[in-house]
Amino acid sequence: MRVLFRLRPKSTVIYCRIKVDGVHANDFSTFIKLENRDEWDSERQRIKGRSQRVCDDNTRLGIISSELMQLHIANPEFSAQHLANLYTQKQKVNYTALEIIRMFEERCEEMYGNEETLGTYARRIANIRRFLEEKSLDKIMADRITLGMADDFVSWMKGQQYDHQYIVRHVQVLKNITEMATRKEILLRDPLASFKLKRKEKIDTSHLTRQEIFTLESTTWTENIQMVVDLFLFSVYTGLHFKDAQTVKSSEIGTGIDGRLWLFKPRGRYEKSTFFNGKEMVQTVPLHTKALLLIEKYGSVKNLPKINNVEFNAALKQIKFMADIQVKRMTVSVARKTFTDIMLNELNVSTDTVSTMLGHKTTRHVKHYARADERRIAKEMSKIDW
């Protein structure tokens, strides 16, 4: 390690630069100020003169150099920047697991401006904290996190009767936390880099049939149930997420290139996020005649029913029983899956187009909403001489 004292251009304050393995850290101030720049002897790395002030300042420079060398000897694996941060107290030598979790929370708050995304992270982090507290690990140091602890966390989550996919998402957050700590050089290596918990390929693409959609449209419902049915059907016709369906603005409906009315709806979970730097995902969907009729029924798109997720799903369970709908779980997501299935398998719309209408940047997530079945295969094969 090398310690260099230097003056910045047009400055009389002495700065310190640490260099380890050819890589230097950002300069930090020693708070020693010269009367003029000519006092500094760069070769001797000391201030010229014999006054008491000069002697005291030179002694201080020697102490700084000695303390930095001792810090390097005690922590030979630390980078120059890490040593500089430790010396200037911008960073501690040791952090607890809870402290790096809090740092990760602050990072999420800086990156994501969407309340739904922040809420998801908050719930997963809360479960990680609860695990640490129940296992009396709330005071454990960050460098004591091991693969065994990750195994214990998975076992604890299973003991809480959580679904495997839900546990996988928690493990990913735990890995994100240790990865962040490694990048900040709080941890010398990522203890969970090799830890993997595979997702189970259990993708539910349950959707309504045309007959079941017709049943919803033609049945006479009570006023409250009718509002739930209307909002559900609006998502079936447009592919909108149930929250997005309740926040559509008149300004997000405009004339498309074919002269019809189209929907240009930014995805709600990305619309306010700073992570995407304004490049939010936008659902671009030509509006179905039945969707326009629903808008007309309520007077304006902004007057569509407003229902929270819990009440929506509870009402859908009741509707499933009353309408004899055969999907295993009748939830708000079934509407979006039904839209995707119709586009992909009945209307033979390309996967690229479907992903754009769903508001996705790639086609990777389309498979979570629908998969090609015999209807699409038959239509595709009818185009070729087989």
Side-chain angles (χ1 to χ4, degrees), residues 91-109:
Q91 190 169 317
K92 300 192 299 183
V93 177
N94 294 312
Y95 287 80
T96 65
L98 290 179
E99 284 176 326
I100 65 170
I101 289 172
R102 180 56 197 154
M103 290 172 65
F104 180 77
E105 276 185 311
E106 292 172 352
R107 178 172 172 268
C108 289
E109 289 166 4

Side-chain angles (χ1 to χ4, degrees), residues 96-115 117-130 132-133 173-174 176-178 180-181 184 186 274:
T96 65
L98 290 179
E99 284 176 326
I100 65 170
I101 289 172
R102 180 56 197 154
M103 290 172 65
F104 180 77
E105 276 185 311
E106 292 172 352
R107 178 172 172 268
C108 289
E109 289 166 4
E110 291 174 0
M111 290 180 64
Y112 306 105
N114 181 269
E115 290 183 7
T117 302
L118 290 174
T120 299
Y121 274 108
R123 287 189 294 274
R124 294 173 189 174
I125 290 171
N127 281 329
I128 293 173
R129 281 202 177 101
R130 192 155 63 91
L132 293 174
E133 290 169 0
V173 171
L174 188 61
N176 289 344
I177 291 169
T178 57
M180 177 216 66
K184 288 181 173 290
I186 293 170
T274 57

Side-chain angles (χ1 to χ4, degrees), residues 18 24 29 37 44 59 85 118 123 141 153 159 184 190 196 199 202 208 211 253 260 291 308 315 331 379:
I18 307 171
H24 68 78
S29 175
R37 291 175 60 83
R44 290 180 54 246
T59 299
N85 289 342
L118 290 174
R123 287 189 294 274
M141 304 309 295
F153 177 64
K184 288 181 173 290
D190 187 348
K196 292 182 180 179
R199 294 176 181 268
K202 188 180 70 174
L208 303 192
Q211 182 57 48
I253 296 176
R260 298 166 56 191
N308 67 49
T331 63
K379 289 175 182 175

Side-chain angles (χ1 to χ4, degrees), residues 240-352:
L240 285 173
H241 185 274
F242 88 99
K243 279 194 175 179
D244 292 338
Q246 299 179 67
T247 58
V248 180
K249 304 171 186 174
S250 299
S251 60
E252 293 166 346
I253 296 176
T255 304
I257 60 172
D258 59 357
R260 298 166 56 191
L261 286 177
W262 285 37
L263 178 69
F264 303 92
K265 173 65 178 170
R267 286 294 310 278
R269 63 187 302 179
Y270 305 115
E271 189 176 6
K272 297 178 182 178
S273 176
T274 57
F275 181 75
F276 294 97
N277 297 319
K279 300 178 181 178
E280 68 270 13
M281 288 62 160
V282 177
Q283 284 190 250
T284 307
V285 188
L287 283 172
H288 193 284
T289 305
K290 291 180 179 179
L292 292 171
L293 288 174
L294 280 175
I295 295 172
E296 185 180 341
K297 174 181 177 179
Y298 287 94
S300 170
V301 72
K302 69 178 182 180
N303 294 332
L304 286 171
K306 305 294 187 288
I307 310 167
N308 67 49
N309 188 27
V310 176
E311 292 176 353
F312 203 160
N313 281 327
L316 288 176
K317 288 180 182 178
Q318 184 180 354
I319 292 166
K320 168 180 159 41
F321 175 76
M322 296 168 68
D324 193 27
I325 292 173
Q326 297 302 306
V327 293
K328 187 175 181 180
R329 294 179 68 243
M330 182 75 164
T331 63
V332 293
S333 63
V334 171
R336 199 160 150 85
K337 291 174 182 177
T338 301
F339 169 84
T340 308
D341 176 75
I342 292 171
M343 292 296 151
L344 198 65
N345 292 312
E346 292 192 14
L347 303 180
N348 213 30
V349 178
S350 71
T351 307
D352 283 329

